[in-house]
Amino acid sequence: MRLSDRVALVTGGGRGIGAAVARSLASEGARVAVASRTLTEIDEVASELTRTGSQAVAVQCDVGRPEEIASAVAHVSEELGRVDILINNAGIASSASLSSQSLQEWERIFRVNVTGTFLCTQACLPGMLERGWGRVVNVASVAALGGAKYISAYSASKHAVLGFTRCVALEAASRGVTVNSVCPGYVDTDLTRASVARIMEKTGMNEGQAVQVLCKTNPQNRLLTSEEVAHAVLVLCLPESAGINGQALVLDGGGFVG
Ligand code: NDP
């Protein structure tokens, strides 16, 4: 129970990686606020945590909207005391060639992935700095470290998350707060299932073949599980990880060549 006196806010905590992160932080004793736009999903995760003996709340919030973030953080502080650990996990993806990339979709992706990470961090960091302890983990991607065809908006947004991570890590370095990123390859979640559907639609492949295209990007020839990503996030949040700051922890089975 290495996080028993800590309060965590997990954005995008209603399903996929975020739900696994919420479970994993709770398993170390953290009180957890689970945030996203879909109330039924965050209610379900928070109820599950409560049933299994943790203190948890669901907080409906769109990370692209500053006023919703402010009221979400205020609500978490009222219910659970404060925010010591922020996991910026909420994220969206889509694919398009550059010539067909719309400005509207570009801005939608940046609003959630980049601006959402900025706004949530700006709302939670001052309290962490005042108290002299905090952890921020940004869920970036291997797309933060290199390029691939048809994901310029997503990849640029995740590069931005990584740059943001490194800068804020330096601002917080002397104050007991660490700021890191995790960079997973393809994970078996709804987001990846949407990518599989797009590959099937564009290429005529069947589902198995489309999944295999994504598996091949990992030398272990598989998709990661949400629990594996959650484990990496948990490690960065532990008290013993105080010296790890401004890093990008890559989970891709050994595939990234930087
Ligand atoms: P999912 O689509 O399964 O879950 C995304 C979560 O983010 C949902 O809870 C969703 O809830 C929430 N979310 C989306 N938009 C907003 C918003 N505007 N405000 C608040 N919450 C929002 O995706 P994953 O679990 O796969 O992805 C989680 C993170 O991991 C993302 O940042 C993604 O980019 C990153 N990632 C994923 C990889 C993968 O292969 N799956 C690989 C590398 C990184 P709701 O829609 O209800 O708001």
Side-chain angles (χ1 to χ4, degrees):
M1 289 292 177
R2 288 169 289 182
L3 297 174
S4 58
D5 54 346
R6 304 299 181 193
V7 177
L9 169 59
V10 183
T11 70
R15 60 176 188 265
I17 294 168
V21 169
R23 289 183 192 107
S24 127
L25 294 172
S27 77
E28 282 290 346
R31 289 169 271 158
V32 182
V34 186
S36 84
R37 293 168 304 179
T38 309
L39 192 56
T40 48
E41 291 187 345
I42 50 177
D43 266 346
E44 201 175 308
V45 174
S47 303
E48 176 201 319
L49 297 183
T50 307
R51 270 198 312 276
T52 51
S54 303
Q55 204 179 335
V57 291
V59 197
Q60 197 171 25
C61 169
D62 182 336
V63 298
R65 295 175 180 270
E67 66 288 357
E68 291 191 21
I69 293 170
S71 61
V73 171
H75 182 66
V76 176
S77 301
E78 266 167 39
E79 294 287 318
L80 302 178
R82 60 191 178 273
V83 177
D84 302 305
I85 297 170
L86 170 66
I87 313 299
N88 284 309
N89 165 78
I92 53 174
S94 62
S95 63
S97 66
L98 185 66
S99 56
S100 62
Q101 177 73 60
S102 72
L103 174 61
Q104 192 185 21
E105 181 61 4
W106 175 278
E107 288 182 339
R108 191 178 77 94
I109 288 181
F110 267 70
R111 186 87 197 167
V112 178
N113 296 3
V114 187
T115 309
T117 297
F118 153 64
L119 291 170
C120 291
T121 307
Q122 199 180 46
C124 296
L125 192 66
M128 296 180 196
L129 295 175
E130 262 171 41
R131 291 185 296 274
W133 197 95
R135 297 283 184 266
V136 179
V137 181
N138 300 322
V139 180
S141 163
V142 288
L145 301 162
K149 285 191 280 190
Y150 312 132
I151 56 164
S152 59
Y154 181 73
S155 179
S157 77
K158 293 298 186 177
H159 275 72
V161 168
L162 200 47
F164 176 79
T165 301
R166 290 170 171 148
C167 295
V168 182
L170 290 172
E171 289 187 30
S174 64
R175 310 275 301 273
V177 177
T178 67
V179 185
N180 290 288
S181 286
V182 292
C183 296
Y186 285 105
V187 186
D188 188 7
T189 69
D190 287 358
L191 199 81
T192 294
R193 282 184 274 281
S195 299
V196 167
R198 280 195 296 270
I199 293 170
M200 290 166 66
E201 187 192 316
K202 296 270 180 207
T203 64
M205 288 178 184
N206 66 33
E207 191 179 349
Q209 291 167 326
V211 170
Q212 195 51 37
V213 168
L214 303 185
C215 288
K216 275 192 192 146
T217 62
N218 179 331
Q220 296 175 338
N221 195 28
R222 66 184 182 91
L223 303 179
L224 295 163
T225 65
S226 293
E227 288 70 28
E228 289 176 283
V229 182
H231 173 72
V233 172
L234 172 65
V235 167
L236 293 170
C237 294
L238 294 176
E240 298 85 349
S241 301
I244 307 173
N245 193 27
Q247 300 303 305
L249 180 50
V250 183
L251 293 94
D252 69 345
F256 176 67
V257 181

